[in-house]
Amino acid sequence: MELEEGKRAFICPASLYVDEDEDELECPLCDVGDKPNPPRAYLNVAVLAPGKKPELAVWEIGAAISDQLQMIDKSIGRRTKLSEIYIVANSKGTGLNTKYHLEPLFEEDLEDMDLKPLTDKQRDGFELYDAELYPIPSFKELDRIADALV
């Protein structure tokens, strides 16, 4: 991994190991005073819009959206799985002041929005993004980057 000119965002790998003893995990970038980004999650989502073909996208989320998704998952309970419902995501504000509101929808709700549910063929036809698209650098790679910063 080469450190290029300009800003690069890295995730602190120590923050990903919540089951480990935090004192034993050290992040090379944190050690040199750099502030890595908090952990993020990447979700494959189908974007639906009236009159348009569904498109696959990757949604990068942080803790706030993750918390809302967990609340939605609890609210739908045993009726279905989170991966089998639709979600309307609205945002308000810009930059660091952006707030998101997520609302669960079921297939019968889509008609009111002039949308059609995904077919099994559409779901199966998406080429899903995987972890290789957003790799998390190893401690060794971050060590090399930290050495270049000091």
Side-chain angles (χ1 to χ4, degrees):
M1 177 177 292
E2 296 291 320
L3 183 63
E4 299 171 6
E5 293 294 320
K7 293 184 176 183
R8 294 281 308 266
F10 296 100
I11 294 172
C12 170
S15 66
L16 300 174
Y17 299 100
V18 294
D19 293 336
E20 303 291 329
D21 183 3
E22 289 181 32
D23 294 334
E24 291 182 23
L25 294 172
E26 295 180 15
C27 171
L29 293 178
C30 293
D31 288 347
V32 297
D34 191 45
K35 186 177 180 189
N37 291 334
R40 311 289 287 172
Y42 301 94
L43 306 176
N44 286 296
V45 296
V47 178
L48 305 179
K52 293 188 178 180
K53 183 179 173 183
E55 292 184 35
L56 178 67
V58 173
W59 191 16
E60 179 182 2
I61 66 168
I65 293 175
S66 177
D67 290 347
Q68 286 190 55
L69 289 171
Q70 287 177 16
M71 288 190 316
I72 289 172
D73 189 40
K74 285 181 184 176
S75 73
I76 60 175
R78 295 183 179 171
R79 289 185 289 169
T80 188
K81 295 187 285 189
L82 188 59
S83 62
E84 294 176 355
I85 66 167
Y86 297 84
I87 294 176
V88 173
N90 294 304
S91 64
K92 184 178 181 180
T94 59
L96 295 175
N97 294 320
T98 305
K99 303 286 184 214
Y100 293 91
H101 173 72
L102 307 182
E103 181 180 341
L105 296 174
F106 296 91
E107 283 193 9
E108 56 270 15
D109 300 323
L110 295 178
E111 204 173 290
D112 297 337
M113 302 175 75
D114 198 25
L115 297 171
K116 294 180 182 174
L118 291 173
T119 64
D120 289 340
K121 185 177 179 181
Q122 288 171 318
R123 286 177 195 262
D124 294 342
F126 285 132
E127 186 176 333
L128 300 179
Y129 298 102
D130 59 22
E132 290 181 15
L133 184 63
Y134 298 100
I136 296 173
S138 69
F139 283 95
K140 189 175 188 176
E141 291 169 314
L142 290 178
D143 241 348
R144 286 198 322 252
I145 294 166
D147 286 345
L149 292 173
V150 291

